[in-house]
């Protein structure tokens, strides 16, 4: 989405992606965890999420993982920390690995399910409820 999801254009982006009025989006964004919830709803509309641009924002990855949609991300040290060694959190280093991973996901519903389940479990470690327990 590039800059379309940047703070200055989120209202229009989310309104269009979720088919909601600007007022509805603003009200939900103002609620506790509202913006994250809206992005999670957008992510959940897809069959695969690819996070390719370098980003050290673990929140971006965990929001994507929380949807249950399989995620492939470009490896960064921060994303490696999030994955915590789980082989089903798909971190790749280059386009060749990306292509091979997309093909593996397309070929196996069981693999897609393992990746999805692992993503939700990893994202849960970063949920408000889990962090509050620490």
């Amino acid at each position: 989405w590039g800059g379309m999801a940047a703070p200055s254009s989120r209202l229009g982006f989310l309104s269009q992606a979720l088919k909601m009025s600007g007022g509805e989006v603003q009200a939900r964004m103002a609620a506790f965890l509202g913006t994250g919830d809206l992005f999670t709803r957008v992510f959940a509309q897809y069959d695969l999420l690819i996070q390719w641009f370098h980003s050290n924002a673990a929140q971006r990855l965990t929001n994507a993982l929380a949807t249950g949609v399989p995620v492939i991300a470009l490896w960064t040290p921060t994303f490696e920390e999030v994955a915590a060694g789980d082989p089903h959190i798909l971190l790749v280093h280059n386009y060749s690995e990306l292509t091979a991973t997309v093909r593996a996901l397309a070929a196996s519903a069981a693999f897609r399910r393992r990746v999805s389940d692992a993503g939700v479990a990893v994202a849960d470690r970063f949920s408000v409820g889990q962090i509050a327990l620490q």
Side-chain angles (χ1 to χ4, degrees), residues 48-49 61 64-65 68-73 79-80 82-92 101 104-105 108-123 125:
L48 173 65
L49 299 172
L61 179 59
L65 294 170
V69 175
V71 176
I72 303 171
F79 290 174
E80 180 68 26
V82 170
D86 189 320
H88 293 106
I89 304 303
L90 305 177
L91 303 178
V92 299
T101 304
L105 285 167
S108 172
F111 182 47
R112 286 192 305 277
R113 172 56 48 201
R114 287 192 303 274
V115 168
S116 172
D117 291 346
V120 170
V122 165
R125 292 196 332 250

Side-chain angles (χ1 to χ4, degrees), residues 19-65:
K19 297 178 181 28
M20 297 170 64
S21 72
E24 288 176 294
V25 169
Q26 285 179 319
R28 291 190 188 207
M29 287 174 70
F32 180 65
L33 300 176
T35 301
D37 177 60
L38 291 170
F39 275 105
T40 299
R41 289 175 189 216
V42 172
F43 294 161
Q45 296 177 17
Y46 296 91
D47 295 318
L48 173 65
L49 299 172
I50 299 174
Q51 196 156 10
W52 196 251
F53 295 104
H54 282 284
S55 166
N56 284 328
Q59 181 182 358
R60 291 182 183 160
L61 179 59
T62 57
N63 284 350
L65 294 170

Side-chain angles (χ1 to χ4, degrees), residues 52 72 75 91-103:
W52 196 251
I72 303 171
W75 183 94
L91 303 178
V92 299
H93 294 88
N94 54 50
Y95 288 119
S96 295
E97 289 180 10
L98 173 65
T99 301
T101 304
V102 169
R103 286 187 178 136

